[in-house]
Structure formats: C-alpha cells, structure tokens
Amino acid sequence: MDTNEQMNAVGFYEGLPIGNEASFINERQPIPSSNERDILVKVKAVSVNPIDTKLRQTAKHQSQLHVLGFDGVGEVVSVGKNVEKFTIGDRVFYAGTTKRAGSNQEYQLVDERIAALAPKNLSKEEAAALPLTSLTSYELLFDKFGLIPKENANQDKSILVINGAGGVGSILTQLAHWAGLTVYATASPANFDWLKENGVVHPVDYHENIKDSLENLGVTSVDYAAVLFNISFYFERVAELIRPFGHIGTIVGLDTALDISLLKNKSVSFDWEYMFAKTDFNYQIETQGEILALIAKLADEKKLKTTLKRTYATGINAENIKKATADVETGHMNGKVVISGPFNGGSL
C-alpha cells in the first residue's frame, strides 16, 4: 500500500459537548505504515464505549486531531516484518489501546498481540460490539476473581452483578453463566427479559433493596459481586452479602472514599478491573489476543451472543459517531451501539 495516500479520520481538537458542531469532525490524515508486530487494518465497523465519552469530555485543546475508538473490526491490508499471527486479507477484531490513535479512522495500526480473528458467524457489526466488554468481563471474572475459564467449571459458585443490562454486564453475565456460576443481576424490570437472554437466572429490581430482594429468593450471600456502576452506592450492602474469602470487583472510578475495613474480618478481596492496564503498562498484552480468540470461538459455537443493540450503518463519519455517542451518554442503553460502512466524511 502506498502510505503517501490519505485516509478519512474522525476526531476532535478539544473536548466539547456532543451537541457542539466540533465535538467530532471529519479530516484527512496520512495512512500509517505497519512495522514490527503491527498489522494495518482497514476498519469496517466500530463501537462507542463509555470510555470514549469520558476521554473526549476531559480532553484539553491540542494541535493534532485526537482520534478515539477502541472496538474495531476490519481487514488486514499490511503486516509488519515480525507479524506471526495474521496475513493480508484476515478479518480481525480488537479493543485497541489508549496509547495510539483509535479505530475511528479508515486505516489503523494495531499490535497483532491484542487482536484475534473475528467470529466467522457474526456480521461486522455484531463482532464490533464484543471486544472491549468481553475483555473487561473476562479479566474481572478469571484474572481477578480467579474463576476457572472453562464451561461449567464453577457450578458451586454464585455471583451478583450490579448493572447487569449494560454493555459490560450483558457480556459478563453470559461468561459467568457459561463458566457455571449461578447469576443474579440488577436492572430495571423493563430489562428483565434482556437479563434472562444473557445468562441471568434471577433478575433483581435495582430500585429495591438488593439484600431484601435476594433474601426473598432464599439467598443470604454470594461468592462474588461485580459492581459495574459507582460502587459507593452499593458498597456497604454488598459487603454484607459477600461470603468469607469472596471477591468484590468494580470497573468504575470512585468519587468518594470506601471503608474497605468492612471486608477485613471476612478476608474478602477488593478487585479493580481496567482493560487498558495491560497495554498501558505492556503487561502480558498477548493474553488479550488469546482472550478474544476464545470469545470468537464461543460466539461461533453460539455459547456467547453479541450484545449489539443499535447500528448506524450509513458510514463511519462525524455525524454518525455523534449520534452513537449521544446514545451512550444517555446512560440508558442496553448492549452496544455500533457504526459501520465506509468512511465517508470527505471526498476520496
């Protein structure tokens, strides 16, 4: 590929409210060239995640276009000299890194170690909904909680998932169910069917007292709790519910201090999960490609379903990324929002 060519990219120069015309803009950029372990991917579909909104909202003015986008599906068009896993023409999916330009560009450099072949039986939109939430869920369940990542290998264990209908929750409940856990999860009653479709045995109304609701089901304690929301609202109650030597984990930052001494006498572990920690610190990054290979296998075997909820399929451009981002910023989306089609923000 002639890397003197230009490509379309979507980004911004400073963090602005999504209603601002310049919150995302279309721009032309040089096509990057692959080297070492990098593959160059022609991007076909992307997804918007809460981290996209947080990074945009807090971004300061900068002189270069800031290109976000983490979930991506596309075709390998060039490979670096040390690439071992992929060849030109492969369809791959990945969740990217905070350290490089993201998937909201026509051609993206991706380290081969954090990518995998995309599920064969899913569309590009269905596949694009999976990487970031799948990696987050897998790492919390199996890296941090120490559960066994095999089908039905944890049948004597139970887990409570707070915010089970969200993007991460909808995958985490499926993986927990696949691994054999009994899954309890909170959501609005309007989303109970969605929870059940995604591996939840007992939906719990988040408007009600969770401890009382579980006791009404005959449950007085759980082995694990995944709090996929501001844990400050739930910490004391979850600390009561968790069994001795259990695990409480979260993916959301704190706005107030937690009294973790409440966990001491039960020897309960508190676990953080941040999917980008591995690529931020170059720590076992190859495991992310391995995890995604398993996710693709489970999807192809219909043991894991996509959580795609809404698609903007008329092209990857500033207008559609604004729409998808506005959806995510409502905080009320089940599953994932995906943008697909050609990059058509400017003339080619």
Side-chain angles (χ1 to χ4, degrees):
M1 170 173 289
D2 182 1
T3 54
N4 291 319
E5 295 180 23
Q6 298 278 303
M7 65 174 178
N8 285 322
V10 182
F12 55 86
Y13 286 93
E14 63 179 314
L16 298 168
I18 195 61
N20 189 295
E21 185 178 354
S23 59
F24 284 102
I25 60 173
N26 302 302
E27 193 169 286
R28 302 285 282 175
Q29 298 267 317
I31 296 176
S33 56
S34 52
N35 56 71
E36 301 297 333
R37 302 295 299 272
D38 287 337
I39 53 176
L40 183 64
V41 178
K42 183 174 176 59
V43 178
K44 303 294 183 68
V46 301
S47 179
V48 175
N49 291 282
I51 190 170
D52 292 88
T53 70
K54 291 174 184 175
L55 291 177
R56 189 196 85 256
Q57 290 167 348
T58 57
K60 305 298 183 184
H61 181 80
Q62 54 190 37
S63 59
Q64 292 186 327
L65 188 74
H66 190 161
V67 178
L68 288 174
F70 297 104
D71 288 322
V73 173
E75 178 185 346
V76 177
V77 295
S78 177
V79 298
K81 63 182 180 180
N82 294 327
V83 166
E84 300 172 352
K85 291 172 57 176
F86 304 110
T87 59
I88 292 172
D90 284 343
R91 191 177 79 142
V92 296
F93 75 148
Y94 48 86
T97 169
T98 63
K99 300 300 184 182
R100 307 178 83 168
S103 54
N104 295 341
Q105 56 183 334
E106 199 167 0
Y107 294 92
Q108 181 187 8
L109 285 179
V110 180
D111 189 306
E112 67 161 345
R113 291 170 289 183
I114 64 172
L117 292 174
K120 296 182 178 66
N121 296 332
L122 297 188
S123 68
K124 60 182 180 289
E125 293 87 1
E126 291 170 330
L130 288 174
L132 188 148
T133 53
S134 296
L135 287 169
T136 300
S137 300
Y138 183 102
E139 289 180 0
L140 183 55
L141 289 172
F142 306 116
D143 289 358
K144 305 311 296 286
F145 286 177
L147 291 160
I148 302 168
K150 293 181 180 178
E151 189 169 11
N152 295 322
N154 307 271
Q155 292 191 29
D156 59 337
K157 304 294 184 182
S158 60
I159 186 169
L160 170 65
V161 182
I162 304 293
N163 192 21
V168 173
S170 301
I171 291 292
L172 191 144
T173 55
Q174 290 189 69
L175 284 176
H177 176 76
W178 166 78
L181 286 88
T182 300
V183 183
Y184 305 89
T186 69
S188 165
N191 294 322
F192 279 7
D193 287 344
W194 175 263
L195 292 182
K196 291 175 182 177
E197 291 171 11
N198 290 297
V200 177
V201 176
H202 301 290
V204 176
D205 186 348
Y206 81 91
H207 298 96
E208 299 178 357
N209 182 297
I210 295 171
K211 188 171 183 291
D212 291 345
S213 296
L214 289 176
E215 286 179 351
N216 289 337
L217 295 170
V219 178
T220 57
S221 61
V222 292
D223 298 290
Y224 303 91
V227 185
L228 311 177
F229 194 77
N230 186 339
I231 196 170
S232 302
F233 295 108
Y234 298 97
F235 184 68
E236 290 187 10
R237 198 153 291 151
V238 170
E240 289 182 56
L241 285 167
I242 204 74
R243 286 177 184 154
F245 294 88
H247 286 254
I248 298 172
T250 190
I251 63 173
V252 180
L254 297 175
D255 55 9
T256 58
L258 293 182
D259 181 9
I260 62 171
S261 67
L262 295 176
L263 308 180
K264 175 184 175 294
N265 289 348
K266 289 185 183 178
S267 291
V268 169
S269 298
F270 186 86
D271 296 296
W272 285 107
E273 162 56 21
Y274 180 57
M275 193 223 79
F276 296 109
K278 288 180 178 177
T279 49
D280 281 355
F281 296 97
N282 195 29
Y283 177 81
Q284 298 181 359
I285 65 171
E286 70 284 351
T287 62
Q288 295 202 325
E290 294 164 359
I291 292 166
L292 288 177
L294 173 62
I295 296 300
K297 180 175 182 291
L298 293 177
D300 282 335
E301 293 174 351
K302 302 189 184 305
K303 294 176 179 177
L304 183 80
K305 57 183 281 190
T306 183
T307 57
L308 174 64
K309 195 70 172 179
R310 181 173 296 167
T311 302
Y312 295 95
T314 56
I316 305 174
N317 52 47
E319 180 183 2
N320 282 339
I321 288 178
K322 285 177 187 176
K323 291 177 182 177
T325 301
D327 290 338
V328 172
E329 288 185 357
T330 67
H332 300 300
M333 279 296 300
N334 294 344
K336 297 294 292 294
V337 187
V338 169
I339 309 102
S340 65
F343 277 78
N344 51 12
S347 58
L348 293 172

